[in-house]
Amino acid sequence: MMPPAVRKAALVIHIISSVGWLGAIAGFLTLAVAGLTAGDPQLARAMYLGMNMIGWMIIFPLSLASLVTGIVQALGTVWGLFRHYWVLIKLVITALATLLLLVHLQPVTAMADMALSTDLGPLDMNAMRVQLVFDAAAAMLALLVTTVLSVYKPRGLTRHGQRLSNKQHTLPRSSKSAST
């Protein structure tokens, strides 16, 4: 277990990176909707260039920070990484969201490059524009689910957590106090 001061510092960094990630996605979604609905090619250009910069310079680093600090938090506290379903589900969602972000940033970069090289009319690359809005909305939903899991911490031990719990309950008294 981590000392309390280290645990609290790690928790603060995790919360800041996670909330920052959520806020950056909200800004990205706003730009994606503005890019989709922009009738002015200059406005569309600005939206996709901004989305590309926000994606690579803010969202991606925050997603990595959230993933790493979440793992540190889980490993350094009583929750553990594989003991409770809610922690495991958060890990899977965060890891998948980070991997999908890397995939998602490729079309964002392509749209930014296209916006630089040509004037985007209101209907140009419409399917990709819609996809960017959909992907950002899905990312918001995923991050909101992880937030709800963090607050409510639904009960339920994984098989690994059940084995650990049973093992702790069967240890002699002197072993229990020595291990805590």
Side-chain angles (χ1 to χ4, degrees), residues 8 12 18 89 126 139 142 161 165:
K8 286 181 182 180
V12 166
S18 298
I89 292 168
N126 199 50
S165 180

Side-chain angles (χ1 to χ4, degrees), residues 31-52:
L31 293 178
V33 169
L36 175 65
T37 59
D40 177 21
Q42 295 300 326
L43 182 60
R45 174 178 289 139
M47 296 303 108
Y48 293 111
L49 292 175
M51 288 167 59
N52 193 46

